[in-house]
Amino acid sequence: MEQKRVIAIGFFDGVHLGHGALLRRARQVADGLGLPAAALTFDRHPSALLGGAPVQLLTSAAERAGLMRRLYGMDQVHIARFDRAMLEMPWQAYVTDYLCGRLGAAHIICGHDHRFGWRGEGNPDRLRALCGRLGVGCDVVERVTVHGETVSSTAIRGLVAEGQMEEAAALLGHPHCLTGTVVHGRQLGRQLGTPTANLLLPEGVLAPAFGVYATAVVVDGRRHPAVTNVGVRPTVEGDGRVTVEPWILDFSEDLYGRELRVEFLRFLRPERKFPDLEALRAAILENAAQTRAYFDAR
């Protein structure tokens, strides 16, 4: 018999304030029942199987899992494969066979607009009724608003794509972040005296507006001020790949092969092509001063 657990269900892209309401409720119910608090997400967005342009996500599956554990205390995060079988699963089977049977759900929490199962035929009302027949607890969490607007991943994607990180953070409840492993770059930053770590953007994850940001970089649990460039480095000849390159201020440790989390705090300037490397260096140093001032004012 699968261990019983309380499960919040959804896609949870970005893990915003609306998602947080589900996760807090899962934690509360789980504590009351003496069961683990769990969340269910998927390895890819349903659009990947439905044709058309896939949705560029705020977070990778691993990033979502980390946020749910770190911010909301989830004991378990299940990352299910969204394949053809999952897409075509009838909504009743999704609840009875998958959530209750395979995952051992004793209590299920979903959002007010959650749809699931083949053709999205499952909805909160149907879930509540079926859980009642199965003897499984069920909560439907109402929408969360900020300044009268419903918090949604779609709205936050628009803000991130425009570089509006402070506005995005107000809806997320935390800074927008990207996590990656440091790879070898061209060492240009080191030549300029502004050594950067080179992270490749995770596949399928939305690139923030190209430009330079005041950021915090988390290394081994420690948070450091950093200047981060997102883009294709137009001043130097590259391969056109989008990179995320933080220069961690007052930091000298070797980072190759280590995992970093970059938290985006404020957009400083658009990415642009400079006439020479000295002009680029001067701009980066100015951005460093702006970043220090940002942290000093907090």
Side-chain angles (χ1 to χ4, degrees):
M1 172 64 72
E2 177 71 49
Q3 180 192 23
K4 294 296 182 182
R5 52 181 58 85
V6 175
I7 301 179
I9 60 173
F11 193 78
F12 298 104
D13 188 28
V15 192
H16 58 56
L17 290 174
H19 301 141
L22 274 69
L23 300 169
R24 281 194 299 272
R25 180 59 181 159
R27 182 74 270 168
Q28 181 183 35
V29 173
D31 289 343
L33 296 176
L35 295 174
L40 172 66
T41 184
F42 295 94
D43 66 339
R44 52 183 167 162
H45 196 273
S47 67
L49 290 182
L50 292 174
V55 173
Q56 291 292 293
L57 301 175
L58 293 165
T59 46
S60 66
E63 188 84 71
R64 291 195 295 279
L67 286 165
M68 288 190 276
R69 291 179 184 275
R70 189 168 67 251
L71 300 181
Y72 295 101
M74 291 296 99
D75 299 308
Q76 305 163 358
V77 178
H78 299 274
I79 303 173
R81 177 156 180 78
F82 196 88
D83 54 14
R84 182 62 57 178
M86 181 65 75
L87 172 70
E88 296 178 353
M89 188 180 297
W91 73 268
Q92 300 96 327
Y94 177 69
V95 176
T96 58
D97 300 345
Y98 189 76
L99 296 179
C100 296
R102 186 179 300 185
L103 297 185
H107 194 109
I108 300 170
I109 296 105
C110 76
H112 68 101
D113 59 351
H114 187 58
R115 306 300 290 261
F116 54 91
W118 176 234
R119 300 185 188 278
E121 292 176 350
N123 59 40
D125 288 339
R126 285 180 162 178
L127 176 64
R128 190 185 281 117
L130 181 52
C131 284
R133 295 195 294 272
L134 296 171
V136 171
C138 181
D139 280 316
V140 177
V141 175
E142 293 306 311
R143 71 190 186 111
V144 173
T145 63
V146 172
H147 304 309
E149 297 294 325
T150 300
V151 176
S152 72
S153 298
T154 300
I156 297 166
R157 288 184 200 115
L159 293 171
V160 169
E162 295 172 358
Q164 298 184 49
M165 294 305 178
E166 290 163 305
E167 294 82 354
L171 302 184
L172 287 165
H174 58 85
H176 175 60
C177 54
L178 293 172
T179 298
T181 301
V182 179
V183 298
H184 286 275
R186 297 185 61 188
Q187 308 267 321
L188 177 63
R190 193 170 301 279
Q191 297 172 36
L192 295 174
T194 59
T196 59
N198 190 302
L199 308 178
L200 296 181
L201 197 68
E203 185 178 356
V205 171
L206 176 70
F210 287 3
V212 180
Y213 295 83
T215 60
V217 172
V218 180
V219 185
D220 297 333
R222 291 172 292 141
R223 203 163 175 263
H224 306 272
V227 178
T228 297
N229 185 83
V230 177
V232 293
R233 299 172 294 180
T235 304
V236 296
E237 192 172 326
D239 56 14
R241 288 190 299 177
V242 178
T243 59
V244 179
E245 294 185 86
W247 171 31
I248 306 177
L249 305 179
D250 307 314
F251 185 90
S252 58
E253 295 178 24
D254 182 8
L255 292 173
Y256 288 119
R258 295 167 73 176
E259 186 176 83
L260 307 183
R261 183 172 76 248
V262 181
E263 298 178 350
F264 291 84
L265 305 174
R266 176 176 289 173
F267 184 81
L268 299 179
R269 64 169 173 84
E271 184 177 55
R272 65 186 181 89
K273 186 171 184 176
F274 289 91
D276 52 49
L277 294 181
E278 189 53 42
L280 171 61
R281 181 176 185 275
I284 295 171
L285 292 178
E286 180 183 354
N287 298 146
Q290 292 172 312
T291 298
R292 293 184 197 279
Y294 175 87
F295 276 88
D296 289 344
R298 298 184 77 183

